[in-house]
mmCIF file of all heavy atoms in Angstrom:
data_model
loop_
_atom_site.group_PDB
_atom_site.id
_atom_site.type_symbol
_atom_site.label_atom_id
_atom_site.label_comp_id
_atom_site.label_asym_id
_atom_site.label_seq_id
_atom_site.Cartn_x
_atom_site.Cartn_y
_atom_site.Cartn_z
ATOM 1 N N PRO A 277 -4.947 -9.390 -1.780
ATOM 2 C CA PRO A 277 -4.063 -8.249 -1.514
ATOM 3 C C PRO A 277 -4.689 -7.219 -0.579
ATOM 4 O O PRO A 277 -3.989 -6.537 0.156
ATOM 5 C CB PRO A 277 -3.829 -7.642 -2.893
ATOM 6 C CG PRO A 277 -4.107 -8.736 -3.850
ATOM 7 C CD PRO A 277 -5.166 -9.594 -3.213
ATOM 8 N N SER A 278 -6.013 -7.117 -0.569
ATOM 9 C CA SER A 278 -6.681 -6.109 0.258
ATOM 10 C C SER A 278 -6.952 -6.600 1.682
ATOM 11 O O SER A 278 -7.508 -5.847 2.482
ATOM 12 C CB SER A 278 -8.003 -5.699 -0.391
ATOM 13 O OG SER A 278 -8.869 -6.814 -0.470
ATOM 14 N N TYR A 279 -6.543 -7.811 2.014
ATOM 15 C CA TYR A 279 -6.777 -8.360 3.351
ATOM 16 C C TYR A 279 -6.183 -7.421 4.406
ATOM 17 O O TYR A 279 -5.039 -6.989 4.287
ATOM 18 C CB TYR A 279 -6.149 -9.752 3.464
ATOM 19 C CG TYR A 279 -6.378 -10.433 4.788
ATOM 20 C CD1 TYR A 279 -7.546 -11.151 5.025
ATOM 21 C CD2 TYR A 279 -5.440 -10.353 5.809
ATOM 22 C CE1 TYR A 279 -7.764 -11.779 6.238
ATOM 23 C CE2 TYR A 279 -5.651 -10.973 7.026
ATOM 24 C CZ TYR A 279 -6.810 -11.684 7.237
ATOM 25 O OH TYR A 279 -7.031 -12.307 8.445
ATOM 26 N N GLN A 280 -6.978 -7.109 5.433
ATOM 27 C CA GLN A 280 -6.534 -6.188 6.479
ATOM 28 C C GLN A 280 -5.814 -6.949 7.591
ATOM 29 O O GLN A 280 -6.398 -7.817 8.223
ATOM 30 C CB GLN A 280 -7.731 -5.448 7.083
ATOM 31 C CG GLN A 280 -8.297 -4.372 6.188
ATOM 32 C CD GLN A 280 -7.332 -3.233 5.992
ATOM 33 O OE1 GLN A 280 -6.796 -2.675 6.927
ATOM 34 N NE2 GLN A 280 -7.102 -2.877 4.732
ATOM 35 N N LEU A 281 -4.544 -6.635 7.789
ATOM 36 C CA LEU A 281 -3.769 -7.265 8.857
ATOM 37 C C LEU A 281 -3.978 -6.515 10.166
ATOM 38 O O LEU A 281 -4.154 -5.303 10.170
ATOM 39 C CB LEU A 281 -2.285 -7.269 8.484
ATOM 40 C CG LEU A 281 -1.948 -8.210 7.337
ATOM 41 C CD1 LEU A 281 -0.599 -7.875 6.747
ATOM 42 C CD2 LEU A 281 -1.965 -9.644 7.805
ATOM 43 N N LYS A 282 -3.962 -7.265 11.256
ATOM 44 C CA LYS A 282 -4.155 -6.684 12.577
ATOM 45 C C LYS A 282 -2.897 -6.908 13.408
ATOM 46 O O LYS A 282 -2.049 -7.722 13.064
ATOM 47 C CB LYS A 282 -5.344 -7.353 13.267
ATOM 48 C CG LYS A 282 -6.675 -7.136 12.564
ATOM 49 C CD LYS A 282 -7.790 -7.974 13.135
ATOM 50 C CE LYS A 282 -7.755 -9.448 12.825
ATOM 51 N NZ LYS A 282 -7.648 -9.857 11.455
ATOM 52 N N LYS A 283 -2.817 -6.196 14.517
ATOM 53 C CA LYS A 283 -1.698 -6.347 15.439
ATOM 54 C C LYS A 283 -1.638 -7.804 15.898
ATOM 55 O O LYS A 283 -2.650 -8.383 16.277
ATOM 56 C CB LYS A 283 -1.891 -5.412 16.633
ATOM 57 C CG LYS A 283 -0.693 -5.291 17.519
ATOM 58 C CD LYS A 283 -0.927 -4.244 18.586
ATOM 59 C CE LYS A 283 0.246 -4.209 19.530
ATOM 60 N NZ LYS A 283 0.086 -3.201 20.564
ATOM 61 N N GLY A 284 -0.459 -8.404 15.824
ATOM 62 C CA GLY A 284 -0.284 -9.796 16.233
ATOM 63 C C GLY A 284 -0.287 -10.790 15.079
ATOM 64 O O GLY A 284 0.084 -11.946 15.256
ATOM 65 N N ASP A 285 -0.697 -10.359 13.881
ATOM 66 C CA ASP A 285 -0.684 -11.263 12.713
ATOM 67 C C ASP A 285 0.747 -11.570 12.306
ATOM 68 O O ASP A 285 1.591 -10.673 12.233
ATOM 69 C CB ASP A 285 -1.431 -10.635 11.533
ATOM 70 C CG ASP A 285 -2.939 -10.715 11.676
ATOM 71 O OD1 ASP A 285 -3.423 -11.498 12.520
ATOM 72 O OD2 ASP A 285 -3.636 -10.002 10.935
ATOM 73 N N LYS A 286 1.007 -12.851 12.035
ATOM 74 C CA LYS A 286 2.338 -13.289 11.600
ATOM 75 C C LYS A 286 2.284 -13.659 10.127
ATOM 76 O O LYS A 286 1.409 -14.410 9.702
ATOM 77 C CB LYS A 286 2.794 -14.491 12.427
ATOM 78 C CG LYS A 286 3.162 -14.154 13.860
ATOM 79 C CD LYS A 286 3.600 -15.414 14.600
ATOM 80 C CE LYS A 286 4.114 -15.172 15.989
ATOM 81 N NZ LYS A 286 3.476 -14.167 16.780
ATOM 82 N N ILE A 287 3.237 -13.148 9.366
ATOM 83 C CA ILE A 287 3.326 -13.430 7.940
ATOM 84 C C ILE A 287 4.519 -14.351 7.726
ATOM 85 O O ILE A 287 5.617 -14.057 8.196
ATOM 86 C CB ILE A 287 3.518 -12.128 7.127
ATOM 87 C CG1 ILE A 287 2.308 -11.212 7.310
ATOM 88 C CG2 ILE A 287 3.706 -12.423 5.652
ATOM 89 C CD1 ILE A 287 2.633 -9.921 7.910
ATOM 90 N N THR A 288 4.296 -15.445 7.013
ATOM 91 C CA THR A 288 5.384 -16.368 6.702
ATOM 92 C C THR A 288 5.335 -16.719 5.226
ATOM 93 O O THR A 288 4.278 -16.639 4.595
ATOM 94 C CB THR A 288 5.287 -17.680 7.532
ATOM 95 O OG1 THR A 288 3.987 -18.237 7.361
ATOM 96 C CG2 THR A 288 5.544 -17.422 9.002
#
Side-chain angles (χ1 to χ4, degrees):
S278 62
Y279 182 85
Q280 286 294 309
L281 290 163
K282 297 171 287 307
K283 191 174 176 179
D285 283 345
K286 288 180 174 37
I287 298 119
T288 53

